[in-house]
Amino acid sequence: MRRMTESLVEDLSENVPVEQVTSAVGAAHTRFDGTPIREFVPILVERIVRRELADPDPTVRVPAPATVRLTKPEPARQSSGGEHRRTVSRRAVLPLSIGAAGVVAAVVAGAVLWPGGDPAPAAAPAALTVVRGVVGSEKVAFFQDENVVRVLAEHGVRVEVEPAGSRQIATTVDLDRYDFAFPSSSPAAERIQRQQAITTKYTPFSSPIAIATYRPIADLLTAAGVIVPGPVATFDMNKYLELTAAGVQWDDLPGNTSYPVAKNILVSTTDPRSSNSAAMYLSIASYVANDHTIVRGATAEAHVLPALSKLFLAQGYTDTSSEGPFNQYLANGMGPTPLVCIYEAQYIEAAGQGRVTPDMVLTYPTPTVLSTHTLVPLTATGDKIGALLTENPDLRRLAAEHGFRTGDNAQFTAVAAERTVPVPPNLIDIVDVPAYDTLEHLLDGVAASYN
């Protein structure tokens, strides 16, 4: 209404006082109080005012059609409280012509009728508030899902996300640019909360760490006692660490004719200096290497660091986010990635996309850890996203379709069964990650080994 009034003042100022224009706008606007046609009100008000002020005698001539101009998105504004507000204005370009009899509009069952009884064009969609977030890469597909976009739009928001490794989000990303941070673990979220002095958080979904492999590799490691077959295959971390500590290579395994390569038996991971999935894998390994006890204190840290560093240093190049090694696993076969550390959700999502082949196998480390995807709101609009993801049943259902566990086991297992992925409906052999400071010390110790 403000922009329309300014336009009218500019157009009519040579012949009509400003006060008369604004008074006419106010009078015309009151005609539509209580009607369900708010999107067309400025257009109709403009036509009424132009007729009354520019054409006092409507029998003389018919006003020319008017056009509503498309306005550019408003730039981000920051309130005095530090809250970032971003809104986008969308107005369709609608030519409107009103005949000599003037504006004739009737509200019938919520629809605007123009002269002759024809329905008016559909109202332009309401402007959506743009909410920006930085998220773990495994959640990008969820936010880009057209059904997720639709549900969020129904609540007046459009979410734009950028991917980053979870530890990067907590340590190096400039969070002032975003409305929410959504790393893939509670330790990374805890660090963000400390830095930003924020107590609020949301944990809408989770996913355990898993290890993806191929049938020939699974058969080899079954014979070696590392993989235990069953309705849901498991990956014995204790047996695995025994092999890595001894430096066993693939061609050392007895009877190995399917993968006789002179490479160390290692699980491919992301970079522990930046990515959460590697940090969660390190948490599992540290528990097993510390005699099945959560690492606490400098002595325990020093005890496990040599074994942990070896798991990562021998890999060579590692990606900064979990999408990298998993996409390589899906695309390139067992040659470069016979074993890869992933989130369970990634495998189930890929199965739904038809990217999982019959020779691929999903196993669960024993023990494993649950990666709790934790959203930290940085503004009021970010807080709205956290609440929607946690409480909205449609978004929870869509999260399950993307492979995430939302607390509804029946919903999650139904999705997995439909995609023929064997999963444990209830996770039992779960261990806690080390305390925030301990995990940071272990990650810094591994990072120092790289240097």
Side-chain angles (χ1 to χ4, degrees):
M1 289 295 296
R2 177 178 56 81
R3 293 191 183 92
M4 181 272 295
T5 303
E6 291 172 351
S7 176
L8 284 172
V9 169
E10 181 180 352
D11 292 347
L12 304 176
S13 59
E14 291 185 3
N15 302 313
V16 183
V18 172
E19 294 80 4
Q20 187 175 352
V21 174
T22 56
S23 176
V25 169
H29 193 196
T30 60
R31 301 187 191 185
F32 302 96
D33 288 344
T35 67
I37 54 172
R38 306 304 298 176
E39 292 298 325
F40 274 121
V41 165
I43 300 170
L44 297 176
V45 168
E46 179 184 10
R47 301 310 301 144
I48 292 171
V49 172
R50 287 188 183 277
R51 177 179 62 83
E52 292 179 348
L53 299 183
D55 279 310
D57 182 0
T59 63
V60 175
R61 62 184 177 88
V62 177
T67 298
V68 179
R69 291 183 291 275
L70 183 69
T71 61
K72 294 182 179 179
E74 295 182 6
R77 302 190 302 277
Q78 185 168 345
S79 69
S80 58
E83 176 189 337
H84 295 274
R85 300 181 184 275
R86 303 172 176 87
T87 59
V88 176
S89 173
R90 297 182 185 81
R91 290 196 177 92
V93 179
L94 300 174
L96 300 176
S97 179
I98 300 180
V103 177
V104 181
V107 180
V108 180
V112 180
L113 299 183
W114 295 85
D118 295 328
L128 300 178
T129 299
V130 176
V131 188
R132 300 189 68 234
V134 57
V135 306
S137 61
E138 68 289 334
K139 292 185 285 291
V140 170
F142 169 78
F143 281 105
Q144 292 178 344
D145 185 325
E146 62 182 13
N147 292 314
V148 173
V149 171
R150 174 184 53 76
V151 174
L152 291 172
E154 290 171 356
H155 290 82
V157 292
R158 186 179 83 232
V159 175
E160 297 178 353
V161 296
E162 295 179 12
S166 291
R167 198 162 184 244
Q168 284 180 311
I169 298 174
T171 57
T172 62
V173 170
D174 179 11
L175 296 180
D176 289 340
R177 300 170 48 217
Y178 301 99
D179 298 294
F180 66 90
F182 201 178
S184 304
S185 72
S186 52
E190 181 184 347
R191 180 165 186 160
I192 294 168
Q193 288 180 283
R194 286 189 183 186
Q195 292 172 334
Q196 301 290 325
I198 294 172
T199 58
T200 305
K201 66 178 181 180
Y202 296 91
T203 54
F205 36 75
S206 62
S207 185
I209 291 297
I211 295 175
T213 186
Y214 301 86
R215 177 55 56 197
I217 300 297
D219 291 342
L220 285 173
L221 293 182
T222 297
V226 176
I227 289 180
V228 180
V232 177
T234 58
F235 189 95
D236 190 323
M237 285 295 294
N238 193 67
K239 291 284 188 181
Y240 168 69
L241 290 184
E242 290 177 0
L243 292 181
T244 59
V248 176
Q249 296 187 330
W250 288 104
D251 59 358
D252 293 329
L253 295 177
N256 179 3
T257 58
S258 55
Y259 194 69
V261 296
K263 295 196 305 184
N264 288 337
I265 298 175
L266 285 173
V267 174
S268 297
T269 72
T270 50
D271 191 330
R273 295 168 292 184
S274 59
S275 173
N276 178 72
S277 60
M280 296 298 97
Y281 173 70
L282 177 144
S283 298
I284 300 169
S286 70
Y287 178 88
V288 176
N290 196 42
D291 299 322
H292 294 265
T293 305
I294 296 173
V295 174
R296 294 184 178 89
T299 301
E301 292 168 13
H303 172 66
V304 300
L305 264 174
L308 299 181
S309 298
K310 189 173 183 178
L311 297 178
F312 296 100
L313 294 178
Q315 290 186 54
Y317 172 78
T318 50
D319 278 280
T320 59
S321 67
S322 57
E323 285 300 295
F326 185 57
N327 283 335
Q328 187 178 38
Y329 165 83
L330 292 173
N332 298 331
M334 68 181 183
T337 51
L339 297 166
V340 61
C341 175
I342 64 169
Y343 297 109
E344 172 193 66
Q346 291 177 288
Y347 195 95
I348 294 173
E349 181 179 54
Q353 297 166 347
R355 302 174 68 193
V356 170
T357 59
D359 66 326
M360 294 177 177
V361 177
L362 183 66
T363 72
Y364 290 81
T366 53
T368 189
V369 296
L370 192 63
S371 185
T372 304
H373 296 258
T374 306
L375 186 149
V376 180
L378 305 173
T379 68
T381 52
D383 187 80
K384 180 176 182 178
I385 300 305
L388 283 171
L389 293 177
T390 304
E391 301 166 4
N392 184 276
D394 291 326
L395 292 175
R396 288 166 62 87
R397 174 182 55 79
L398 291 166
E401 291 181 4
H402 281 267
F404 295 108
R405 295 178 182 247
T406 64
D408 186 337
N409 285 342
Q411 188 177 65
F412 168 77
T413 53
V415 170
E418 180 184 351
R419 298 171 187 180
T420 63
V421 179
V423 300
N426 298 295
L427 297 165
I428 298 174
D429 198 356
I430 297 286
V431 296
D432 291 331
V433 299
Y436 168 79
D437 290 330
T438 298
L439 183 58
E440 286 296 302
H441 293 162
L442 293 175
L443 291 169
D444 289 342
V446 172
S449 300
Y450 278 91
N451 298 330

